[in-house]
Amino acid sequence: MSSFMELALQEAARAGVRGEVPVGAVLVEAATGVVLASAGNETEALTDPTAHAEIMVLRAAAAKVRTPRLEACDLYVTLEPCAMCAAAISFARIRRLYFGAYDPKGGAVEHGPRFFTQPTCHHRPELYGGIEEQRASALLKEFFASRR
């Protein structure tokens, strides 16, 4: 498990170097441990407000396995997903969600709308937060400090 979060942290660091908010994600086929997709944020490069790391890996993996439902997959992401990404994770029927840093301002899993606890949410993945939290948080803090 920690090796997958390590891959997500590497994606986040690469995103930060590109001038993107340093968030990375990795989607893994749970039974085999095969990485189906990995990505960092690309909102600036693609001028696309939906190009969050989570969305990028969900799109790539769904295209690869030719189904929008990724029930046998686990998602590793360096930051607590926002509402948009939480909805996409639910729609994709991700099995388990592992995330690093908590996001009190923009997060929607443990903060804000707590998307997966809403009665309108049709699928709730198993949740594991705080994985490599300090490293994920440090990437974000360093990125934003360098822009002030």
Side-chain angles (χ1 to χ4, degrees):
M1 174 184 61
S2 62
S3 64
F4 298 127
M5 187 56 81
E6 180 63 36
L7 288 173
L9 286 162
Q10 290 171 12
E11 289 288 353
R14 283 193 285 275
V17 168
R18 294 190 310 268
E20 303 280 356
V21 174
V23 177
V26 175
L27 193 76
V28 179
E29 191 174 58
T32 63
V34 170
V35 173
L36 296 176
S38 62
N41 276 356
E42 292 192 50
T43 58
E44 299 298 326
L46 299 177
T47 59
D48 179 355
T50 70
H52 290 194
E54 300 95 309
I55 300 295
M56 301 305 290
V57 297
L58 291 174
R59 287 176 181 161
K64 187 175 195 173
V65 298
R66 296 176 181 259
T67 180
R69 284 167 289 289
L70 303 165
E71 295 139 329
C73 295
D74 297 340
L75 178 62
Y76 295 80
V77 61
T78 59
L79 181 65
E80 177 183 351
C82 69
M84 173 185 69
C85 291
I89 290 164
S90 179
F91 293 150
R93 299 185 186 146
I94 295 300
R95 185 181 81 122
R96 290 186 181 139
L97 169 62
Y98 299 90
F99 66 88
Y102 290 87
D103 186 358
K105 280 178 87 173
V109 175
E110 298 290 340
H111 296 90
R114 298 178 185 255
F115 186 87
F116 299 123
T117 65
Q118 299 304 314
T120 53
C121 179
H122 298 293
H123 173 78
R124 180 182 198 266
E126 290 180 34
L127 301 173
Y128 301 92
I131 312 295
E132 294 284 358
E133 179 180 6
Q134 290 180 337
R135 288 178 63 201
S137 182
L139 278 172
L140 290 158
K141 287 177 183 170
E142 290 167 14
F143 176 82
F144 288 112
S146 73
R147 278 157 174 65
R148 290 188 185 113

